[in-house]
Amino acid sequence: MNKNPTSDAMATAFRAARDSARSAAKAAAHVACLYLIEANGGRGSIHETWRGDGPQFWCKMAAPGIDAHILTQSFGDRAHVVFRCLTDIEYERIRAEAEDRNACYHDEECDCDDTPWPTLAELAEPGTSEVGFRNCDLRGHVTRAAGSSKLDLTLDDEPVSEVAALIRLARADR
């Protein structure tokens, strides 16, 4: 077998570039968690995530009432976030801001809903415990446990900067 030294050098260069990109994305994910901790008033911690079934995450920011997983399919700049035990006021503040920021600016053929987030009235309807929503790239769901006045909000794939802004809104009166 005839080895080509140029191919070996290119393969080595490719592996080094790939490994560098992976390391940079992981570092960005950890800084993203620090950014989210700062947005949460300095409360929270960074955890490595288990690489099992389900979506893959670089790491997770955990704080009382919030878990934000930084997605591996991103460069450390997108998160799956769960807000637990939001009050109606906190949810409304987040919903109003997120709908305003994520308004659809596509053409008339777009199937986006102008107000995709469920209202408190919709969530209070009998038999309604979980409502999903989607508007262009915004995806998630809201859950209210039976007999509870608190809401859980999950956003599937959001820019970290948007998550930080929503954390600040949710925590504005705490």
Side-chain angles (χ1 to χ4, degrees):
M1 183 173 203
N2 192 4
K3 282 224 166 200
N4 181 342
T6 304
S7 291
D8 288 344
M10 287 306 295
T12 300
F14 169 74
R15 283 191 299 276
R18 181 198 61 211
D19 293 346
S20 294
R22 186 176 290 134
S23 294
K26 187 171 186 176
H30 278 80
V31 172
C33 284
L34 290 171
Y35 180 31
L36 298 178
I37 289 169
E38 183 272 333
N40 196 38
R43 294 176 304 277
S45 56
I46 301 172
H47 302 271
E48 293 296 322
T49 56
W50 180 69
R51 304 268 182 212
D53 294 333
Q56 297 289 307
F57 305 110
W58 288 116
C59 54
K60 170 178 102 169
M61 185 283 278
I66 304 168
D67 282 330
H69 293 81
I70 308 301
L71 303 168
T72 56
Q73 71 261 26
S74 73
F75 294 107
D77 62 341
R78 299 197 65 86
H80 170 92
V81 63
V82 179
F83 292 91
R84 288 180 309 284
C85 298
L86 292 171
T87 66
D88 287 353
I89 292 169
E90 291 168 335
Y91 174 75
E92 277 299 306
R93 227 181 359 240
I94 288 173
R95 182 180 76 84
E97 181 68 20
E99 279 188 344
D100 186 45
R101 287 181 184 215
N102 293 295
C104 177
Y105 298 106
H106 293 125
D107 60 25
E108 294 174 9
E109 300 298 319
C110 188
D111 291 334
C112 292
D113 187 356
D114 290 335
T115 55
W117 289 57
T119 64
L120 290 172
E122 291 173 298
L123 292 166
E125 291 176 9
T128 303
S129 61
E130 182 173 345
V131 178
F133 58 88
R134 177 183 166 91
N135 187 26
C136 295
D137 295 329
L138 179 70
R139 292 176 299 279
H141 63 273
V142 182
T143 307
R144 186 188 301 264
S148 174
S149 64
K150 303 290 184 171
L151 298 163
D152 292 346
L153 169 64
T154 302
L155 300 174
D156 296 331
D157 183 352
E158 288 297 303
V160 167
S161 58
E162 292 292 322
V163 172
L166 296 178
I167 289 172
R168 284 186 188 95
L169 281 172
R171 303 302 181 223
D173 59 351
R174 290 188 183 185

